[in-house]
Structure formats: structure tokens, C-alpha cells
Amino acid sequence: MTPTPAPLSATDEKVLNRLRRIEGQVRGLQRMIEEGRDCHDILTLLSGIRSALDATGDTILEQYASGCRAHPDQPITPQDVVRAVKLLRG
């Protein structure tokens, strides 16, 4: 029997909304390339997407540092945080 997932927190909902918005931006970027749009416009949107991903990653990292949902009963060590930062920035 598969365990029922815990209800989503407000932060989880915020992250999911950001990811959906980013998904739409990526689709827009694909469309711009297909339409042969100006490189400056494409690079501008790409920069915005990267910034949005970085901000979302920061939110997820904050959530991890305050206690990962996958293991809420286990304390987070400084080594865990360093590992998470390296994964995010690597």
C-alpha cells in the first residue's frame, strides 16, 4: 500500500506556482525561437527564466535547511546544508 503524501504547505504551493510560471516562460522561449524572434528578446527572456529558477532554488534550499519534508524527524546537520548548497549551485 502506498502511503498518502502529506498535504502541501503554503511554501510548497508557492514553489509549484513559480515552477508553473517558469514552465510557461520556457514554452514562450521555445515559441520565440520557432518564430525566429530577435536574439536580444530571446536572451532577455532566458535571463528572466534563469533568475526565476535561482529564486525558486533558494526557496527550496531554505525549506531544506529548516527541515526537509522527506525526513522531518531527522535533524539537519551543517554538512547536509553544505551538500544541498553544492547541489543547487553545482
Side-chain angles (χ1 to χ4, degrees), residues 61 64-65 75-86:
L61 179 61
Y64 178 87
I76 303 294
T77 67
Q79 293 83 4
D80 292 330
V81 174
V82 168
R83 189 175 321 116
V85 169
K86 285 182 178 180

Side-chain angles (χ1 to χ4, degrees), residues 45-64:
L45 181 54
L46 180 61
S47 176
I49 293 168
R50 291 176 74 168
S51 295
L53 279 171
D54 285 343
T56 303
D58 290 345
T59 301
I60 293 170
L61 179 61
E62 288 173 16
Q63 192 174 20
Y64 178 87

Side-chain angles (χ1 to χ4, degrees), residues 1-7 70:
M1 184 172 186
T2 305
T4 304

